[in-house]
Amino acid sequence: MNKLFELTNKVIVITGGGGILCGTLARALGDEGAKIAVWDINEKAAVSIANEIKSNKATSVGVKCDVLDKESLKTAKERTVAELGQIDILINGAGGNKKEATTSEDLSFFDLPADAVRCVLELNFMGTFLTTQIVAEDIAKRGEGVILNISSISSFRPLTKVMGYSAAKAAVNNFTQWLAVHICQNYSKDIRVNAIAPGFFLTEQNRFLLTDEKTGELTARGKAIIDHTPMARFGKPEELIGTVMWLLSDAAKFVTGIVVPVDGGFSSFGGV
Ligand code: NAD
């Protein structure tokens, strides 16, 4: 059983690895004996997570990287290969929403600034596409590896307020399916491309929507989410680990092109 989920010595790049969800995944995968390259535009956050992994006797490097900048991605790849070896697995985790791209009582759909919406579309979709172009080229040449995209339940049915974010994550799902087929048909049957769609996890990207900034109490939206989640709570970042280990390891050897919700049942509940 353990052998099925084995990730020892696999070189894993995780973008957005300095953040809450991907930082948790980076630490957990380090504990499994994988070599972790933590890529993040926030160098301090990337290095801090890498140091935590190293202090647990695993191998890691924290690298400053902007997933929207090809030169930055190339430099990050060179450094990762030099320090950890050839990349086996890519997790596209850099992403998120912006308050400026979110409708509210103060900001109508008609006033949404194009720049803010463009920024959210670019980070979530173009950031995934560009990173995959740079990293997966090596994986395709070697003919073996795994790509895992971090989508969101807002990709299946759009959530209110976050129009650009929902559209961007829907594009990530579509890209996941497209690439899974393209890679099998043109490069190797041993490269898998999947995604996870987390439900609601309280992190910096959504805290302003789900809790009151002053009191910390749930907002009306936060309450509505809990009411529509059969498990009646937000997820804990560590609850993503099992699904991710399954998709990255040989346990999912015949699984490609799927998007797995990890959402306490939110996407299955019709509301009645
Ligand atoms: P987070 O803000 O804690 O982490 C995101 C990380 O991405 C940050 O460390 C940030 O510095 C980094 N980043 C931002 N722009 C970047 C760029 N251009 N290049 C490289 N790194 C960049 O957010 P999180 O909640 O941990 O989200 C991680 C992923 O999970 C995102 O893709 C997010 O959309 C997705 N997600 C989150 C939730 C949730 O409830 N928190 C739900 C569904 C999906």
Side-chain angles (χ1 to χ4, degrees):
M1 195 65 173
N2 284 349
K3 210 161 177 271
L4 211 51
F5 290 89
E6 176 87 57
L7 291 169
T8 312
N9 288 328
K10 294 284 182 199
V11 175
I12 302 180
V13 165
I14 178 155
T15 71
I20 297 193
L21 299 187
C22 291
T24 302
L25 293 176
R27 284 189 215 97
L29 295 168
D31 287 345
E32 292 303 315
K35 300 178 182 176
I36 313 295
V38 182
W39 291 11
D40 204 292
I41 198 164
N42 180 342
E43 185 173 23
K44 215 172 138 197
V47 170
S48 159
I49 298 283
N51 285 343
E52 273 186 63
I53 295 171
K54 285 193 269 190
S55 71
N56 275 347
K57 299 197 171 30
T59 308
S60 184
V61 60
V63 183
K64 183 180 169 69
C65 172
D66 178 356
V67 295
L68 295 174
D69 177 350
K70 271 193 151 181
E71 286 313 308
S72 171
L73 284 162
K74 281 182 194 160
T75 308
K77 182 173 84 171
E78 278 162 21
R79 195 170 150 208
T80 299
V81 173
E83 294 201 22
L84 304 185
Q86 288 298 331
I87 298 162
D88 299 296
I89 293 171
L90 167 64
I91 300 177
N92 281 308
N97 184 42
K98 263 174 121 57
K99 196 171 186 173
E100 301 79 1
T102 306
T103 60
S104 66
E105 277 176 19
D106 304 322
L107 184 60
S108 81
F109 166 72
F110 303 105
D111 293 325
L112 278 177
D115 281 353
V117 174
R118 196 174 289 122
C119 194
V120 170
L121 288 169
E122 291 222 338
L123 174 59
N124 291 281
F125 179 67
M126 291 304 289
T128 298
F129 159 65
L130 290 172
T131 309
T132 305
Q133 264 196 325
I134 300 299
V135 174
E137 191 174 8
D138 295 12
I139 293 177
K141 275 186 199 142
R142 293 215 322 284
E144 210 179 319
V146 179
I147 296 152
L148 181 72
N149 298 326
I150 312 289
S151 181
S152 159
I153 39 131
S154 67
S155 63
F156 303 127
R157 281 180 303 166
L159 296 173
T160 57
K161 299 179 193 283
V162 295
M163 178 271 300
Y165 181 70
S166 299
K169 291 300 195 185
V172 168
N173 291 6
N174 197 277
F175 173 61
T176 301
Q177 294 177 310
W178 184 89
L179 191 68
V181 174
H182 183 77
I183 291 233
C184 269
Q185 289 184 338
N186 295 282
Y187 298 97
S188 165
K189 315 281 185 246
D190 293 320
I191 299 174
R192 301 181 294 103
V193 186
N194 291 297
I196 59 166
F200 292 91
F201 295 72
L202 201 54
T203 64
E204 292 323 307
Q205 71 158 3
N206 56 20
R207 194 173 301 275
F208 72 95
L209 278 171
L210 306 184
T211 57
D212 186 285
E213 270 165 314
K214 288 188 194 106
T215 64
E217 299 282 305
L218 285 179
T219 58
R221 186 180 179 87
K223 284 196 196 98
I225 288 163
I226 300 296
D227 288 346
H228 286 79
T229 302
M231 291 188 178
R233 62 175 176 85
F234 295 123
K236 299 179 193 134
E238 58 274 20
E239 288 170 333
L240 296 174
I241 296 168
T243 308
V244 167
M245 280 187 60
W246 167 58
L247 288 171
L248 298 187
S249 65
D250 277 357
K253 214 170 184 326
F254 196 49
V255 177
T256 197
I258 65 162
V259 183
V260 183
V262 185
D263 65 354
F266 181 92
S267 54
S268 294
F269 185 38
V272 177

